[in-house]
């Protein structure tokens, strides 16, 4: 098993929170010396190849970050994203945060069933959500909540004005029943002809 590749995947999954040396040692079940060797190999791979990311130590946490020399292109991406409408995935992520705030990225990922770090960064850049402290769970991950801009965007005075989840589910069931009844009516008319 290639532990350098596993380490790279772990750092990718940890996103902006990164991992500390103790996390790496515990997860990979290696000694501190072995962990340092794995990190050196990974950092060396990024330095030797023309790659868009690098391994950095910020505080006591190791993170994958973009390279400074590509900054102009990343800024263009943020500009493009700010000028676009919210995708279905972004709306789902935003709804999860709104109904569960404050919430960590990991919890959002669990609820959605897929990684949401890119969407969370996009929503933060659009000022629809913001960081609101850290959870008391291990690693003290960042928590997110909606902003005043979110309320303004959706015409709400407060988060309490969001429709109840039960109402949303019932509305979807009614819509499904209407679709099925129209489909059955159409099928019956076709058979009669």
């Amino acid at each position: 098993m290639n532990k350098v590749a596993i380490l790279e995947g772990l750092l990718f999954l940890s996103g902006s929170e990164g991992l500390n040396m103790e996390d790496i040692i515990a997860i990979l079940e290696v000694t501190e010396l072995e962990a340092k060797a794995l990190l050196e190999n990974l950092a060396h791979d990024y330095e030797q190849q023309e790659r868009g990311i690098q391994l950095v130590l910020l505080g006591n946490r190791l993170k994958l970050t973009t390279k400074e020399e590509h900054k102009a292109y990343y800024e263009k991406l943020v500009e493009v994203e700010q000028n676009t409408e919210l995708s279905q995935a972004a709306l789902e992520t935003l709804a999860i945060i709104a109904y569960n705030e404050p919430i960590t990225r990991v919890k959002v990922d669990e609820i959605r069933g897929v990684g949401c770090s890119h969407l969370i960064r996009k929503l933060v850049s659009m000022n629809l959500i913001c960081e609101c402290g850290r959870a008391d769970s291990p690693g003290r991950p960042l928590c997110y909540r909606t902003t005043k801009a979110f309320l303004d965007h959706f015409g709400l005075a407060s988060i309490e004005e969001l429709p109840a989840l039960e109402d949303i589910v019932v509305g979807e069931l009614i819509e499904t029943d209407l679709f099925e009844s129209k489909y059955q009516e159409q099928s019956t008319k076709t058979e009669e002809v």
Side-chain angles (χ1 to χ4, degrees):
M1 203 175 317
N2 183 344
K3 289 197 175 182
V4 173
I6 295 168
L7 176 59
E8 181 180 36
L10 290 170
L11 289 165
F12 176 79
L13 286 173
S14 69
S16 62
E17 295 173 23
L19 296 172
N20 62 32
M21 186 62 83
E22 293 78 25
D23 295 334
I24 294 168
I25 292 169
I27 295 168
L28 293 177
E29 299 174 346
V30 296
T31 66
E32 184 174 352
L33 190 60
E34 291 170 319
K36 285 181 180 179
L38 292 170
L39 287 164
E40 286 175 15
N41 286 339
L42 184 58
H44 180 73
D45 287 348
Y46 286 130
E47 291 168 7
Q48 295 303 310
Q49 301 177 21
E50 292 297 319
R51 305 285 293 269
I53 56 176
Q54 61 188 346
L55 178 63
V56 295
L57 177 65
L58 299 170
N60 70 340
R61 304 196 69 81
L62 293 143
K63 302 177 184 187
L64 295 178
T65 66
T66 55
K67 292 186 175 178
E68 182 68 28
E69 59 263 30
H70 304 148
K71 181 181 176 181
Y73 296 98
Y74 304 137
E75 289 171 347
K76 288 180 184 179
L77 174 65
V78 171
E79 289 171 12
V80 167
E81 287 182 345
Q82 286 180 341
N83 294 330
T84 60
E85 292 183 16
L86 291 172
S87 65
Q88 183 66 33
L91 285 171
E92 288 172 9
T93 303
L94 189 55
I96 290 168
I97 293 168
Y99 280 97
N100 296 284
E101 63 183 29
I103 187 170
T104 64
R105 178 194 52 83
V106 172
K107 188 65 178 169
V108 174
D109 292 351
E110 286 175 13
I111 294 171
R112 271 203 82 226
V114 295
C116 300
S117 8
H118 174 71
L119 293 169
I120 287 177
R121 282 191 301 272
K122 178 179 179 176
L123 294 170
V124 167
S125 75
M126 294 177 76
N127 195 31
L128 294 173
I129 63 170
C130 66
E131 295 174 4
C132 64
R134 293 193 173 269
D136 290 331
S137 57
R140 307 238 332 121
L142 290 170
C143 291
Y144 297 92
R145 67 168 177 79
T146 55
T147 62
K148 175 81 170 100
F150 165 84
L151 297 174
D152 293 345
H153 184 81
F154 291 98
L156 302 170
S158 72
I159 201 75
E160 286 77 28
E161 287 186 4
L162 284 171
L165 286 175
E166 297 80 27
D167 295 341
I168 295 170
V169 172
V170 170
E172 289 174 0
L173 291 174
I174 292 170
E175 186 175 302
T176 303
D177 290 342
L178 288 173
F179 170 77
E180 288 175 0
S181 66
K182 286 181 181 178
Y183 177 74
Q184 288 172 353
E185 288 175 17
Q186 189 67 13
S187 298
T188 307
K189 289 178 183 176
T190 307
E191 291 171 7
E192 291 174 358
V193 176

